[in-house]
Amino acid sequence: MPLRLRNRLFCSFFKSNRLYPDFIYSPLDGWPVVRQTEVGMNDVLIWYGVIFVIGLLALPVAFAVFPRLPDRGYSFCKPFGLLLISLVAWWIGNLKLAPFGQVLCWTALIGLGVTGNLLLIFNRRLGQDMAEWFTRRHNWKLILASELVFLAGFAFIINMRSFFPELDKSEKFFDLAFIQAIAVSPELPPADPWFGGQPMNYYYGGQMLMAVLTKMIGTEATTGYNIMMGLVYAMGAQACFGLGSNLVGLARGKDRPAWGWGLLAAAFLMFLGNLAPLRQVLRDGLLPLGAKEWPFHVDWPATARMVYDPMPDGRLLDILTEYPVYSYLNGDLHAHLLGAPYVLLAFGYILHLFVAPGRWAMAAPTWRAVQGFLAGGLFIGALYLINGGDFPIYLFMVVVVLALVESRAGGGWQAVLGRWALQLVGFGVALYLVYFFYFTNFTGMIRGKPLPDVADTPVLGFLSKYVGWISWPRTFLMEYGLMYGLFLLPILTLLALKLSQVGRTERREVPVLSGGWRWLVRLVGLVLVLLALLGLTRTWADFAQKNLSLYSLVLPLAAGSVGLLALLNWQALRQRPRLTLEGLFILLLTAIGPLVQFELLGLVAGLLYFALRLGWRERQQAASWQSRLDLFFCVCVALAAGITLFCELVYVRDIYSNRFNTMFKFWYQIWNLYGFAGVYGIWRVVSWGRAEVLISTETTSSLSRGRLAPALGGLAALFRHGRQPLADGPKLNSYMQNQSGSDTLSAGSNFGEAEQASFTGANSTDVAATEEAFTRTDVSGTASNERVRVAAGLAVPDRPTRRAWKRVWLAGLVFLMFSALAVPTLAYWQATGGYAQRQGLNGEYWYSQAFPDEYPAMRWLRDYTRKDPSRRGIVLEGNGMNYSWGDRISTFTGLPTIVGWPFHELQWRGYLPEIQIWEAWLDMDRIYETTDVEQAKLLLKRHDVRYVFVGQAENGSRSLFSDNSKFKQFSPEALAKFRTFMKPIYEDPSNNVYIYAFE
C-alpha cells in the first residue's frame, strides 16, 4: 500500500478549485520512487491559520506598546507576535532548558496568549482602551481592510510560486540550507550547514523565524519555503498598510487611521515596481498586436541590474538594486527579504516615538521604564539579528528622532541632553540584553585590513578597515530616476511647495533695478536661453543614439534654468537672496556632477540640504499634527539622501572590494524611506491649500497666565464668521501634556511675528480688533495667509485651490504608477508562462527529476537523522562552487557538510584566513579521489565527518551544473575504499548510490 507523505494542498486563485501535484512514495524493489499525485490545500490554510492566531494573541501586547498610533499596532501584530514567540523559544533553547523543537515553540505561543490575558487583567485601562477601540465602526473597517490586504498579498505570491516552486537557482540553496538546518536542529545556537557544524556567523534571525513556524506546523521546509514567501510578503503589505494609514491619519489630526492612504502605501512599497520597464519600451518599442508577450517583453532581471560600475581593472560590474516586487519574483528568501516586515515594524515604532506628546518619548525613569526600553530594544535589535545592514540605519533614526522629540519638549539644553542620553543608555542596555546570545556569538563579517595607501594614517587607516573610497564613475541620474522616480515626484513637489512658503516669509523689499540694468539682465538671460537651445541639438543626437546621460543635459539644464529666471523673475529672486543663492549653488553642483563622475551630486545634495533646512524650520515652529508629520517627512527624505550619498562615496569592504553588497543592502532601505515619504507627499500635495490646524504659542502662554482676551475674542470672531474649528489630534488633551501638567503647544509653522503681535495685543472685549486681524489676512491662499494659519487657538481655513497644475501633476503621477505596474503584471505573467502550468508548492520536485537515482537516498538520510537527534553529524559530499548544485545533501537534509559554497563562507567568516576555508573545501574532493585509506581516514577525522554520501554527482553520472558541465571523475577504486573502514547504511548497487557511516 502506498506510503503517503503529508498532503500539501493548494487552491488556485486564478483557475478552477482543483488539487495540484505533489509526491507519493510507493515501494519498488525495496526503495521508494517518486511520482505525481493530486494533493489539497491543507498546508496553505494551516499556515494562514497559525499566523492569524499568532497576530490575535499578540494584539493586547501591541495595544500596550503602540498607544499613540491610531490603529494601536494592529497591522504589526503578526510579525510582532512571531518575533515574540521565536525569541522566547530562542532564549530557552540557548539556555539549554529544553530542546529547540515543536513542543517548545507551541509552548511559547501559549505563553504569548497567557501574557496578553494577564495584561488585560492587571491593566484595566488597557482593557478599556481595547473595548472602546473595537466599538468604533471605523476601526472595524480598518480591520477588514488590513486583513484583506494580508490575504490578497498571501494569495498573490502563493499563486505565483505555485507555477515555479523549484529551489534550484540563484541563492535558494543557501536560504533553504539555513532554514532547513534550524528547522531540524534540536539545539541552539544553530549550526552552519556549510561550515562543519560551527555556529552560524550570519544574521540568521529571519531564517529562524521561518524555521519556528516550520517546526510548529510540521510542513517540510522545501514546501514551507514557498509558503513562507507568501507569508513574508503578506506581513510586509499589511505593515505598509498600517504605516500609511497611521501616517496620514495622524497628520489629519484625527484619532482614526486613513485606511485609503494605507492601501496606497501598500501598493507603492510592495506591489508597484520601478520605472526601468519604461526605458525598455522607449528603447525597444512595442511588440505587434497579437504577439505572445504583447505589448512588450519585460526583461525583469534587468530592472534590478540597471546600474553598471566601470571598475578600475576594466570590468563592467552590474550592481544588484532589488526592490520588493522583484525580490519575490526572484524567489530568494534572503535576509533583506525576510527582514522587510521587521524593518516596517521598526519604522512603525519610530513613528510612535516621533508623535510622543512631551518628554521621555521612549520611557521615563520610573519602574515602568523597563517596558518602554524593552520594546525599543526588541524592535531595533531584531534588525541586527535578521539583516545586519538595516540595523545601523534605524538605530541612527531612533537617535535622531529621540533628539527631536526631547528638544521639542523643551526645558533647557542640559535637560534635553540628559533625557536624550538616559533614554539611549537604557535602550542600548535593553537591546544588548534581549539579543545577548547573538551579540556574544557573532564576530562580524568585515575583513578588517587597512588599505595600504592610508594604513599609517591614524583616522583614515582605521576607517579603511571597514570602508573603501569609490574612485570610478558612479550612478547615473537616469538610473536613480528609474529606480525611485515614482517616489521622487511627490517628494520634490512637496519640497518645492514648502520652499515657496519659505520664499514668501523670507521676502524682503529691495530697490527696483533701473531700466538699463533690467534690459542688461534680460539680454544675458536671452543669450543663456539661446545657448541652451543650441545644447539641445547635442542632447537630441545622444538620444537618437540611445546614449543620453546627464552630461548631455548639463548645458541645456544650467544655461536654460538661469536664463529663464533672468528673463522672467529676476526681481523676485533679488527679494529672496538666500533661496536664490541656495538654488544657484545646487544648480552649480548639478552641472559639476558629470565632470567629476558624480551625476547624483546636485540632486542628492539638494534633497539633503533642503530636507534638513525645512525640517529645522518645522522643528522650531511646528505645532499641529500635520506640521509635526511634515518634520517626519523631512527626516525620511534627509536620511534616504544621506544613504545615497554614502553609497556614492564609499563602499563597505568585503571580499568583493566594490559596492555590490553595499548598494544591494542600503538601496532597499532607500526604497522604504522614499516610499513612505512619497505617500505622505502625495497626500500633502493633494490637500495643499486646504484648512490646517495650527495652534499659537502666544495663545497658550496667555491662557496659562490668565489672559483670555485673544482666545475669547478669537472664538467670537470664529462664530461670527460661521466657521468650525477642526478636530483635535488623537487624544490631544492627554497627549499634549508636559511634565508640569500644562499644555505644551507651540507656534504654527508659518506664523509671523507681526501677526502674533496683532492677536496677542488684542483686548478681551475688542472682538472687532480680532476680526480686523483676520481680515488683514487674505484667506484665499495668498502669501500672508500662508504665514498666518491660526490666531487665538482657532483655525483659519483656506478655500480649496483648483489650479491646473494639480491636474497635470496628478496625470503625471498616474502615468508613473501605470508604468510601475509592468513588473507585477506583465513580468509575473511572462515569468509564469501566462499562469498556464501549475506545478504545486513542493520545492524539491526538481531534485527528484535532476537526481532521480540518489533522491530516495537523500530522503532516507534526512528521515534517519531526524528521527533520532543523536544520529546527526557532518556529511561529506562532492564540493561545488557558488550557484552550483554543490552541497545539495546538506541543503536538503539540514545536516552540516565540511564547506558549502566557498565564497559565501569567505564573506561570513572574514575573521578567518582565506586559506583555511579553501583548504577545507579542497579536502572534500581529496577524500573522494584518494585511494590511500589512511589519508582518507586522517582527513575524515580532521573534519569530524560521520557520513559519506556517494550519489550521482560523486559517481560521475550527473553534473552539479544545469548545463551538464564539469562532471566529477572519481575512480571506482577510490569510491570503494569507504566500505573497508565504514559501515554502509544505505545501498543501491543498481544505481551505484551508497551512504557510509561511522557507527
Side-chain angles (χ1 to χ4, degrees):
M1 184 176 180
L3 173 64
R4 286 186 174 274
L5 290 181
R6 178 182 177 81
N7 284 340
R8 295 164 176 83
L9 309 173
F10 181 73
C11 177
S12 169
F13 298 97
F14 294 94
K15 304 288 185 182
S16 61
N17 184 19
R18 290 185 55 81
L19 303 176
Y20 295 98
D22 206 330
F23 299 131
I24 183 172
Y25 285 80
S26 300
L28 180 63
D29 298 328
W31 301 111
V33 295
V34 182
R35 64 181 176 86
Q36 289 186 335
T37 187
E38 291 189 342
V39 296
M41 55 181 298
N42 290 349
D43 278 336
V44 175
L45 294 178
I46 290 172
W47 278 70
Y48 175 76
V50 168
I51 197 65
F52 183 83
V53 170
I54 289 174
L56 192 64
L57 295 180
L59 189 57
V61 185
F63 258 72
V65 173
F66 295 102
R68 301 166 194 155
L69 298 185
D71 79 341
R72 300 301 296 266
Y74 180 88
S75 299
F76 309 127
C77 281
K78 293 180 180 68
F80 184 22
L82 180 57
L83 179 64
L84 287 175
I85 64 173
S86 299
L87 286 180
V88 169
W90 182 69
W91 261 84
I92 294 175
N94 274 290
L95 290 171
K96 313 300 182 185
L97 300 178
F100 183 57
Q102 188 179 50
V103 173
L104 177 59
C105 295
W106 279 106
T107 303
L109 178 62
I110 295 171
L112 175 62
V114 171
T115 302
N117 281 282
L118 290 176
L119 278 175
L120 295 176
I121 292 171
F122 292 103
N123 190 340
R124 292 185 178 181
R125 183 176 178 181
L126 178 64
Q128 293 171 356
D129 284 349
M130 284 191 68
E132 180 185 355
W133 192 86
F134 278 101
T135 57
R136 298 174 185 171
R137 184 177 179 182
H138 61 79
N139 287 334
W140 281 104
K141 292 180 180 178
L142 168 77
I143 292 172
L144 178 61
S146 181
E147 290 303 324
L148 286 176
V149 167
F150 180 89
L151 187 58
F154 191 55
F156 173 59
I157 298 301
I158 291 289
N159 180 73
M160 181 270 296
R161 291 301 305 167
S162 71
F163 288 94
F164 48 95
E166 302 87 358
L167 305 180
D168 62 335
K169 298 180 179 67
S170 191
E171 298 208 337
K172 297 176 183 62
F173 259 39
F174 151 50
D175 300 315
L176 176 63
F178 272 44
I179 294 171
Q180 184 77 280
I182 302 173
V184 302
S185 174
E187 297 179 350
L188 289 174
D192 186 343
W194 284 0
F195 199 69
Q198 295 296 313
M200 291 180 180
N201 195 62
Y202 185 75
Y203 23 83
Y204 61 83
Q207 288 85 356
M208 182 189 70
L209 295 171
M210 296 301 106
V212 165
L213 283 174
T214 304
K215 286 176 180 288
M216 293 175 66
I217 299 170
T219 307
E220 189 61 61
T222 50
T223 296
Y225 183 104
N226 289 304
I227 304 176
M228 296 168 199
M229 293 284 297
L231 180 66
V232 173
Y233 181 86
M235 289 194 299
Q238 189 175 31
C240 284
F241 169 83
L243 273 169
S245 57
N246 283 319
L247 195 63
V248 177
L250 286 168
R252 285 176 169 176
K254 297 180 180 179
D255 190 13
R256 62 173 65 183
W259 62 268
W261 291 95
L263 292 175
L264 182 66
F268 253 53
L269 275 86
M270 297 299 294
F271 186 71
L272 295 179
N274 61 23
L275 303 178
L278 182 60
R279 181 170 66 173
Q280 295 178 12
V281 172
L282 293 175
R283 182 190 61 203
D284 303 329
L286 298 176
L287 295 174
L289 186 63
K292 182 179 179 181
E293 294 185 336
W294 187 86
F296 70 97
H297 170 72
V298 180
D299 185 3
W300 63 269
T303 64
R305 291 181 179 271
M306 57 185 177
V307 178
Y308 287 86
D309 279 3
M311 303 304 295
D313 59 4
R315 291 180 300 133
L316 194 61
L317 178 68
D318 58 327
I319 305 297
L320 186 60
T321 55
E322 288 195 17
Y323 50 94
V325 78
Y326 167 91
S327 297
Y328 291 92
L329 182 57
N330 189 48
D332 291 346
L333 264 177
H334 233 34
H336 68 284
L337 189 148
L338 290 166
Y342 295 93
V343 165
L344 299 169
L345 179 61
F347 207 106
Y349 176 73
I350 292 171
L351 176 63
H352 172 265
L353 291 180
F354 194 84
V355 296
R359 302 169 183 175
W360 304 108
M362 181 174 288
T366 64
W367 66 273
R368 293 185 176 180
V370 175
Q371 173 184 325
F373 290 136
L374 282 177
L378 181 74
F379 296 138
I380 306 302
L383 302 183
Y384 193 58
L385 178 64
I386 297 173
N387 188 21
D390 302 337
F391 174 71
I393 295 173
Y394 294 95
L395 178 64
F396 177 75
M397 201 172 181
V398 167
V399 173
V400 171
V401 164
L402 278 178
L404 289 173
V405 173
E406 296 304 327
S407 64
R408 185 178 65 211
W413 71 267
Q414 297 94 336
V416 170
L417 183 61
R419 295 195 303 268
W420 176 73
L422 281 175
Q423 289 179 93
L424 286 183
V425 169
F427 162 71
V429 170
L431 188 153
Y432 182 81
L433 291 178
V434 170
Y435 298 97
F436 171 78
F437 292 109
Y438 184 69
F439 281 105
T440 53
N441 289 324
F442 183 66
T443 59
M445 297 188 293
I446 300 176
R447 310 204 72 80
K449 298 178 182 178
L451 292 172
D453 296 342
V454 294
D456 297 330
T457 307
V459 177
L460 294 179
F462 173 77
L463 293 177
S464 70
K465 293 181 180 181
Y466 307 102
V467 296
W469 178 259
I470 296 174
S471 59
W472 51 87
R474 300 165 178 87
T475 310
F476 291 149
L477 181 63
M478 177 67 74
E479 296 163 345
Y480 197 73
L482 290 173
M483 186 70 180
Y484 304 114
L486 178 61
F487 308 141
L488 288 174
L489 176 63
I491 289 171
L492 292 173
T493 305
L494 180 55
L495 289 176
L497 290 173
K498 295 189 75 65
L499 286 173
S500 69
Q501 286 185 334
V502 173
R504 285 191 285 270
T505 58
E506 292 183 354
R507 182 178 179 274
R508 62 180 65 179
E509 297 298 330
V510 294
V512 179
L513 289 173
S514 63
W517 282 106
R518 286 201 302 272
W519 281 108
L520 179 60
V521 169
R522 290 173 181 173
L523 179 61
V524 172
L526 180 61
V527 171
L528 291 174
V529 169
L530 291 175
L531 288 174
L533 293 175
L534 290 175
L536 284 176
T537 59
R538 175 178 176 177
T539 303
W540 178 256
D542 288 348
F543 177 77
Q545 297 175 5
K546 299 180 180 179
N547 191 32
L548 184 62
S549 66
L550 180 61
Y551 186 79
S552 308
L553 296 171
V554 167
L555 180 60
L557 178 68
S561 301
V562 177
L564 287 174
L565 289 175
L567 281 172
L568 302 176
N569 213 18
W570 180 252
Q571 185 68 14
L573 297 180
R574 292 180 62 235
Q575 292 173 342
R576 299 160 180 84
R578 178 179 175 182
L579 268 180
T580 301
L581 291 175
E582 291 168 344
L584 290 175
F585 181 71
I586 297 301
L587 192 62
L588 178 63
L589 291 180
T590 304
I592 291 175
L595 303 178
V596 295
Q597 300 180 333
F598 192 173
E599 285 197 3
L600 294 183
L601 180 60
L603 174 65
V604 174
L607 284 170
L608 181 60
Y609 175 77
F610 286 118
L612 290 175
R613 185 185 173 191
L614 292 172
W616 182 257
R617 185 171 179 270
E618 294 289 352
R619 189 202 70 84
Q620 290 180 314
Q621 303 180 19
S624 75
W625 289 100
Q626 178 176 289
S627 58
R628 189 179 299 183
L629 270 297
D630 281 358
L631 174 56
F632 191 73
F633 161 84
C634 292
V635 170
C636 292
V637 174
L639 183 55
I643 296 172
T644 303
L645 190 63
F646 176 85
C647 293
E648 295 299 299
L649 295 178
V650 298
Y651 62 90
V652 177
R653 292 188 60 204
D654 52 26
I655 65 171
Y656 294 122
S657 297
N658 56 55
R659 61 177 185 156
F660 182 93
N661 274 335
T662 304
M663 289 183 63
F664 173 47
K665 297 293 185 183
F666 290 161
W667 271 39
Y668 220 78
Q669 299 317 311
I670 296 175
W671 182 277
N672 288 330
L673 293 165
Y674 275 157
F676 285 113
V679 170
Y680 182 78
I682 294 172
W683 175 75
R684 285 289 279 123
V685 172
V686 169
S687 61
W688 191 262
R690 297 177 185 173
E692 301 173 355
V693 182
L694 301 175
I695 304 175
S696 168
T697 298
E698 294 295 333
T699 302
T700 307
S701 300
S702 12
L703 289 173
S704 63
R705 292 192 297 267
R707 292 185 293 171
L708 303 178
L712 295 177
L715 288 174
L718 175 70
F719 287 111
R720 180 170 297 183
H721 284 276
R723 301 186 179 99
Q724 295 293 330
L726 299 180
D728 288 336
K731 300 184 180 179
L732 190 61
N733 292 332
S734 61
Y735 284 170
M736 301 293 284
Q737 299 292 322
N738 63 11
Q739 196 174 26
S740 63
S742 61
D743 291 340
T744 307
L745 306 173
S746 58
S749 61
N750 298 312
F751 197 79
E753 295 179 0
E755 289 79 10
Q756 290 184 29
S758 67
F759 286 108
T760 56
N763 187 277
S764 61
T765 58
D766 193 1
V767 176
T770 306
E771 291 180 331
E772 182 182 356
F774 279 113
T775 304
R776 287 198 305 270
T777 64
D778 179 7
V779 296
S780 62
T782 58
S784 60
N785 184 50
E786 294 292 343
R787 293 193 300 270
V788 181
R789 285 285 188 239
V790 170
L794 52 96
V796 184
D798 288 334
R799 288 183 299 200
T801 60
R802 300 186 181 278
R803 299 176 180 174
W805 70 265
K806 271 192 180 181
R807 298 189 184 94
V808 175
W809 184 86
L810 285 172
L813 179 66
V814 170
F815 172 75
L816 293 182
M817 292 177 66
F818 181 78
S819 302
L821 281 171
V823 170
T825 55
L826 291 178
Y828 272 61
W829 174 270
Q830 294 166 10
T832 57
Y835 297 107
Q837 187 175 357
R838 199 181 300 274
Q839 303 297 320
L841 292 175
N842 196 304
E844 66 183 43
Y845 178 69
W846 74 273
Y847 194 141
S848 68
Q849 303 302 302
F851 297 88
D853 297 339
E854 75 173 40
Y855 178 75
M858 182 277 293
R859 290 295 305 245
W860 185 91
L861 181 63
R862 183 165 67 191
D863 295 340
Y864 176 76
T865 55
R866 189 180 298 179
K867 290 176 183 177
D868 185 354
S870 65
R871 295 173 178 170
R872 291 179 57 82
I874 296 173
V875 59
L876 173 67
E877 57 184 312
N879 62 20
M881 272 299 209
N882 290 30
Y883 308 108
S884 71
W885 290 335
D887 316 297
R888 67 207 183 282
I889 305 302
S890 60
T891 296
F892 283 85
T893 63
L895 297 175
T897 191
I898 296 177
V899 176
W901 289 354
F903 283 102
H904 281 65
E905 287 297 339
L906 288 171
Q907 290 182 67
W908 304 334
R909 302 183 186 275
Y911 60 90
L912 290 178
E914 292 186 20
I915 190 64
Q916 183 175 335
I917 295 173
W918 281 116
E919 281 294 329
W921 184 78
L922 292 172
D923 280 347
M924 297 171 72
D925 270 5
R926 289 169 180 160
I927 296 173
Y928 281 109
E929 66 189 4
T930 183
T931 57
D932 186 339
V933 172
E934 294 304 319
Q935 182 186 8
K937 286 182 178 180
L938 178 64
L939 292 174
L940 289 169
K941 184 177 180 180
R942 176 186 300 171
H943 298 291
D944 197 22
V945 173
R946 183 169 185 177
Y947 301 103
V948 173
F949 191 92
V950 178
Q952 289 183 258
E954 291 76 19
N955 65 30
S957 63
R958 185 67 172 91
S959 170
L960 290 175
F961 296 89
S962 58
D963 61 357
N964 287 321
S965 63
K966 301 178 182 177
F967 283 76
K968 298 286 185 183
Q969 296 181 352
F970 305 130
S971 67
E973 295 80 13
L975 295 178
K977 68 178 178 291
F978 298 110
R979 185 179 293 273
T980 63
F981 60 91
M982 299 180 74
K983 178 183 178 181
I985 59 174
Y986 180 101
E987 296 182 273
D988 183 5
S990 61
N991 293 306
N992 195 19
V993 176
Y994 300 89
I995 301 176
Y996 300 98
F998 286 108
E999 292 288 351

